[in-house]
């Protein structure tokens, strides 16, 4: 499990990871994108119960 965490940390510090984080932050600040993410998570949660 520690290997996965280390890989994520490494990615987040890379230029590509920083671009991905910036893109995610922009999307999170957009109300439409936030609602879209909520709907997607709701669908995933409801599927997990069955």
């Amino acid at each position: 499990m520690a290997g996965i965490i280390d890989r994520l940390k490494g990615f987040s510090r890379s230029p590509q990871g920083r671009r991905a984080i910036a893109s995610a932050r922009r999307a999170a600040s957009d109300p439409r994108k936030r609602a879209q993410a909520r709907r997607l998570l709701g669908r995933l949660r409801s599927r997990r119960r069955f």
Side-chain angles (χ1 to χ4, degrees):
M1 195 57 130
I4 294 171
I5 301 298
D6 290 337
R7 288 177 125 184
L8 286 171
K9 282 182 186 177
F11 176 72
S12 69
R13 292 182 180 132
S14 72
Q16 186 179 7
R18 288 176 194 240
R19 280 193 298 267
I21 290 168
S23 174
R25 283 192 177 135
R26 278 193 305 274
S29 67
D30 182 15
R32 278 184 283 171
K33 290 288 184 183
R34 191 177 287 184
Q36 186 180 11
R38 259 195 210 119
R39 284 193 305 271
L40 177 63
L41 286 174
R43 284 186 207 144
L44 291 174
R45 286 182 184 139
S46 66
R47 284 184 184 175
R48 216 185 287 167
R49 291 181 187 147
F50 297 110

